[in-house]
Amino acid sequence: MGRRGSAERDAVTVEIGYAFVSACFAAALVFAAVYGAAPALGLSRAAHGFLEVAGGVLAGVVFLLRVVHVLWRFGRRGNPDARGTSG
């Protein structure tokens, strides 16, 4: 591995920022979709608690999957061998 140029470092920084922001947005949507059912349906406190925990867990999983997916795709894009083309 050689040294990275300024443009490459900037591209990595932007991609990490994009991964983080898009993962936050996706996680918030998942949490809202799961936990939002509790007040809408008038469920009990136990159901509220369950949906809150389930929404939090699912949101965390979605966040991690989104970050990994975006950064994995970015890493493969920069590697010509990963696309199946060589030299």
Side-chain angles (χ1 to χ4, degrees):
M1 286 185 104
R3 287 169 125 4
R4 290 188 178 180
S6 178
E8 289 174 331
R9 285 193 310 267
D10 290 347
V12 169
T13 302
V14 167
E15 199 66 23
I16 291 170
Y18 169 72
F20 181 76
V21 170
S22 68
C24 285
F25 183 72
L29 284 177
V30 167
F31 182 80
V34 172
Y35 185 64
L41 299 175
L43 301 175
S44 68
R45 284 186 180 213
H48 272 268
F50 175 77
L51 289 176
E52 185 175 6
V53 170
V57 169
L58 286 174
V61 169
V62 166
F63 178 86
L64 289 175
L65 288 175
R66 179 66 183 161
V67 168
V68 168
H69 174 74
V70 169
L71 295 179
W72 188 291
R73 189 184 63 200
F74 177 73
R76 289 185 57 118
R77 185 174 50 197
N79 183 358
D81 290 334
R83 290 190 302 255
T85 60
S86 58

